[in-house]
Amino acid sequence: MKGRLFSTLYMFLLSLVFTSVVSGLNVIHQDRIRLNEERKRQALVLHVLNITLEPHATDQDVSRTFSRRVRAATLGDRPLYVGLDADASTVVGYAFPVSGPGFWGPIEAMVAVDPQGQRILGIAFYRHSETPGLGGRITENWFQRQFQGRPLDMPAAGMRFFYFKPPGTASGPSELDAITGATETTKRLEKFLDEELKKTIPLLLEQKKLQRV
Amino acid sequence: MAKIRTRTFFRKGVWEENPVFRQILGICSALAVTNLMTNTLIMGLGLIFVTAMSSATVSALRKITPERTRMMVQVLIIASYVMMVDIFLKAYLPDISEALGPYVGLIITNCIIMGRCEGFARNNPVWPAFLDGVASGVGYALVLLVIATVRELLGFGTLFGMHVMPSGWVPWTIMIMAPAGFFMLALFIWVAYELEYKKTQPSHGDK
Amino acid sequence: MENPLSAPLIFFASIFTNNILLANFLGMCSFLAISREIPSAVGLGLAVTFVMTCTTALNYLVYHYLLVPFQLVHFRFIAFIVVIAAFVQLVEMVIDRYSPRLYVVLGVFLPLITVNCAILGVCLFMVIRQYNFVQSVAYGFGGGLGWLLAIVALAGIREKLKKAPIPKALEGPGISLIVAGLMALSFMAFSGMISMG
């Protein structure tokens, strides 16, 4: 009996010590972790807006450039990042996050469009659970670069902004190369990108008309 | 005296009793990240830290831990150190933390750590237990790095993310997918055993 | 955000195209150690399937009704492993009590299951992929069956290999890994049936 009591007590104390240490560490690092996420987002926004940083830019450089060249706004219920040129007077583009279901889990991306909302400046997929070597290749440069400069005219009823075609068969401004073997990922990507853009682009143009952004 | 002992630990951990290909332990949580060297290196370092610290802690508590709570205590200790690694990665290496995803958490069920706690730390003083943990972790990390080097070089044409292959190089996509992980580890074990047989005539059968 | 995959699709994909062992390397230690004969492979595989199905359900509840509301998400590693360990203990006691014969067959494997990374892996993946309850259980059940399928197939092949002239240095783990690699390749071919992403 005494042994059992001691065991329970011992287990309890040990758990208390270890969970306290881990919690303590977590509290100490919480701000830093949040800051990391913030920085990551900033770098992403600059990247899709094609605002280049010096090579070997430090985190501070990223933050400094971001605060000088990007103004935060909102687009309905999502954040909107207004990119400015070097003297912070003219708008060079707008960036906003989009997300939707991939094959294995949610895919999150940042999209940037030109000041008139007519072309894509850049896109970056930054979070996904797709299969490495298949759907996971959406983060590769060749795939993301294809979006640059694509027109954003509202597609006709029943049509989509972009279509993924088997590699090598894409032609015309609305067709892009799919990833070989990742049919499902590209199919879902095509669908949610289209839905998100149909939601955001008209909203952006309307906000521009009202001189809000 | 201490110097010789340290060397013995390392010779054992890295070669004679290398956890991966001698005892076929702990490859679960490891092979999945071996398609990129950077991730593998960080994973290896994390594992060295957890193995060493868990061994040392289990050893420090060895005289007061009641027998019946032994397993639970070990799980608690290992999981706590893994959570620390997870927090450190999130705070100081956010990109890698993102890339490793759930595999950091899977260090908990890495049989090597439990194996060293059970097999060595439980009956030995703190310092040897710590060294034993470091050595096992190093042995593990080295095997993974060798495999990752080949997989990244052929699968992406890069080393630590830097392009080294000539520009006409067509990456072997299979190398970054699962089957190549199995084949590479099998090849590694084959070569290691082959070298061993050249040196001695061992007496171990099918493990 | 809801994950759009239907539960049956997750179930089949986790058995075939995204087999937890052949695509994610999880549960390798026991996979290599217990795959010498078919009967023990079947026993372990069934035990893993059972524990995996139940612990995904339990851990789903723990995560969404305990960890998330109290902002203890960073404790998920320890919470999951404790739930798994406790559940295995419980199963052990129940089997011991009601079926000593089954206990003799499965008893050896039960401690192995606690530290089987496949089970913790499935619990961590379901959280990352944002599955709902039904999807999580389908994933746990499918993951377990996929693991069972893989280990039984390997055991069958290894029984056949006993008489094969294998290079001495490849015996045991080496050849098993090559077989596992070939199995992983062939399982990838299932993607024609269930497309991959």
Side-chain angles (χ1 to χ4, degrees):
Chain A
M1 190 62 229
K2 188 163 164 257
R4 180 158 299 185
L5 188 68
F6 176 76
S7 298
T8 317
L9 205 63
Y10 175 80
M11 204 57 221
F12 178 75
L13 276 177
L14 206 61
S15 308
L16 200 66
V17 170
F18 271 101
T19 42
S20 313
V21 172
V22 173
S23 286
L25 275 173
N26 194 49
V27 169
I28 293 168
H29 287 101
Q30 221 159 23
D31 292 346
R32 212 194 145 88
I33 292 172
R34 213 171 294 128
L35 196 67
N36 282 337
E37 280 164 9
E38 188 67 19
R39 291 245 165 85
K40 197 175 160 181
R41 180 156 278 247
Q42 292 177 345
L44 201 67
V45 169
L46 293 175
H47 169 74
V48 292
L49 284 165
N50 302 326
I51 296 175
T52 43
L53 290 154
E54 306 290 306
H56 314 296
T58 60
D59 287 349
Q60 278 80 4
D61 296 342
V62 172
S63 289
R64 217 172 308 129
T65 312
F66 185 88
S67 57
R68 214 179 49 236
R69 305 275 310 263
V70 179
R71 202 175 64 232
T74 54
L75 193 62
D77 54 0
R78 74 182 81 207
L80 176 73
Y81 303 96
V82 184
L84 307 165
D85 66 357
D87 54 15
S89 56
T90 9
V91 174
V92 294
Y94 299 97
F96 48 87
V98 298
S99 63
F103 185 60
W104 288 111
I107 296 178
E108 294 177 42
M110 187 68 76
V111 179
V113 300
D114 71 353
Q116 288 70 44
Q118 289 173 335
R119 283 181 185 284
I120 288 196
L121 286 182
I123 192 165
F125 300 96
Y126 63 92
R127 193 166 291 154
H128 68 85
S129 324
E130 307 307 289
T131 320
L134 290 166
R137 297 180 66 194
I138 55 172
T139 55
E140 289 182 8
N141 261 334
W142 68 269
F143 185 77
Q144 302 190 140
R145 254 201 311 263
Q146 317 184 73
F147 286 89
Q148 285 177 358
R150 299 280 178 167
L152 283 170
D153 318 321
M154 259 310 153
M159 299 292 280
R160 288 183 173 171
F161 275 103
F162 302 114
Y163 292 94
F164 289 108
K165 296 280 176 195
T169 63
S171 65
S174 67
E175 295 185 355
L176 302 133
D177 285 346
I179 295 166
T180 320
T183 346
E184 282 300 312
T185 303
T186 32
K187 208 159 74 188
R188 285 163 208 267
L189 186 65
E190 188 181 282
K191 185 166 175 289
F192 90 72
L193 264 184
D194 188 66
E195 287 168 0
E196 290 280 83
L197 288 173
K198 276 179 183 155
K199 261 189 264 177
T200 47
I201 300 293
L203 202 58
L204 177 68
L205 295 175
E206 188 188 326
Q207 295 272 353
K208 275 186 68 75
K209 252 202 210 96
L210 299 167
Q211 307 268 312
R212 287 203 191 133
V213 290
Chain B
M1 176 71 206
K3 251 204 155 70
I4 296 170
R5 296 250 331 252
T6 310
R7 228 186 13 230
T8 319
F9 274 121
F10 275 84
R11 207 184 56 232
K12 272 205 165 113
V14 175
W15 186 253
E16 285 171 16
E17 290 173 21
N18 183 303
V20 177
F21 58 84
R22 288 282 183 259
Q23 309 164 24
I24 315 300
L25 279 180
I27 36 188
C28 358
S29 49
L31 267 182
V33 299
T34 55
N35 53 14
L36 284 170
M37 288 172 77
T38 315
N39 297 355
T40 309
L41 183 69
I42 301 298
M43 186 84 175
L45 291 174
L47 195 112
I48 293 169
F49 170 81
V50 175
T51 318
M53 292 307 288
S54 305
S55 285
T57 314
V58 166
S59 165
L61 297 170
R62 73 187 184 280
K63 291 207 170 76
I64 51 169
T65 304
E67 193 61 15
R68 68 162 70 92
T69 61
R70 206 180 68 227
M71 286 306 254
M72 258 343 262
V73 166
Q74 283 176 11
V75 167
L76 174 77
I77 290 169
I78 294 168
S80 302
Y81 283 119
V82 171
M83 284 190 285
M84 289 179 203
V85 170
D86 187 49
I87 292 170
F88 285 138
L89 284 180
K90 276 205 177 80
Y92 300 103
L93 295 165
D95 294 354
I96 289 175
S97 163
E98 186 86 24
L100 292 178
Y103 290 99
V104 179
L106 287 169
I107 293 179
I108 296 176
T109 45
N110 192 313
C111 337
I112 292 178
I113 308 174
M114 207 95 164
R116 293 329 292 164
C117 290
E118 272 290 299
F120 192 89
R122 197 153 64 82
N123 319 316
N124 285 285
V126 176
W127 180 240
F130 179 81
L131 280 182
D132 177 77
V134 172
S136 298
V138 168
Y140 176 89
L142 284 177
V143 174
L144 290 190
L145 259 181
V146 171
I147 291 174
T149 309
V150 179
R151 285 183 75 187
E152 187 180 339
L153 187 67
L154 298 176
F156 290 100
T158 56
L159 288 179
F160 286 116
M162 287 174 294
H163 281 276
V164 286
M165 283 297 194
S167 54
W169 170 256
V170 178
W172 305 7
T173 304
I174 187 72
M175 272 298 179
I176 52 178
M177 301 176 90
F182 288 106
F183 293 139
M184 288 308 306
L185 184 61
L187 281 177
F188 191 98
I189 291 173
W190 192 0
V191 171
Y193 278 6
E194 222 30 279
L195 292 175
E196 196 69 1
Y197 288 134
K198 285 236 162 50
K199 276 202 302 205
T200 53
Q201 277 303 316
S203 56
H204 71 78
D206 187 332
K207 271 202 208 130
Chain C
M1 187 168 48
E2 276 287 292
N3 191 305
L5 275 188
S6 67
L9 186 60
I10 292 179
F11 174 75
F12 285 110
S14 57
I15 296 176
F16 297 109
T17 49
N18 265 52
N19 185 296
I20 191 88
L21 197 146
L22 298 172
N24 295 322
F25 306 104
L26 296 178
M28 289 276 289
C29 312
S30 18
F31 174 74
L32 291 176
I34 315 288
S35 58
R36 257 174 253 147
E37 284 92 23
I38 292 184
S40 49
V42 173
L44 178 66
L46 287 173
V48 165
T49 308
F50 177 66
V51 173
M52 210 183 262
T53 314
C54 299
T55 48
T56 41
L58 286 172
N59 276 332
Y60 179 89
L61 300 174
V62 165
Y63 185 81
H64 289 276
Y65 294 96
L66 203 75
L67 299 182
V68 175
F70 292 100
Q71 302 196 337
L72 295 169
V73 173
H74 63 279
F75 277 124
R76 67 189 179 281
F77 298 152
I78 200 153
F80 288 173
I81 197 89
V82 165
V83 167
I84 293 167
F87 183 77
V88 171
Q89 283 265 285
L90 190 78
V91 171
E92 201 166 358
M93 281 182 334
V94 170
I95 292 182
D96 194 18
R97 185 83 177 265
Y98 292 101
S99 174
R101 230 185 79 238
L102 186 64
Y103 187 76
V104 173
V105 179
L106 284 184
V108 230
F109 303 133
L110 285 169
L112 265 181
I113 291 177
T114 306
V115 290
N116 184 326
C117 22
I119 296 178
L120 182 64
V122 164
C123 295
L124 292 173
F125 277 122
M126 80 182 178
V127 167
I128 286 181
R129 293 177 185 170
Q130 305 182 1
Y131 289 155
N132 63 26
F133 184 73
V134 178
Q135 287 170 325
S136 297
V137 176
Y139 181 51
F141 187 40
L145 286 178
W147 201 87
L148 168 77
L149 182 64
I151 192 171
V152 172
L154 181 70
I157 295 171
R158 280 182 77 174
E159 283 192 358
K160 288 267 180 290
L161 283 179
K162 274 183 184 151
K163 296 187 189 68
I166 297 166
K168 201 163 162 36
L170 261 182
E171 275 171 12
I175 196 72
S176 304
L177 283 165
I178 290 182
V179 170
L182 292 170
M183 276 162 60
L185 269 179
S186 54
F187 270 54
M188 275 166 62
F190 281 119
S191 59
M193 201 169 69
I194 309 160
S195 48
M196 306 249 296

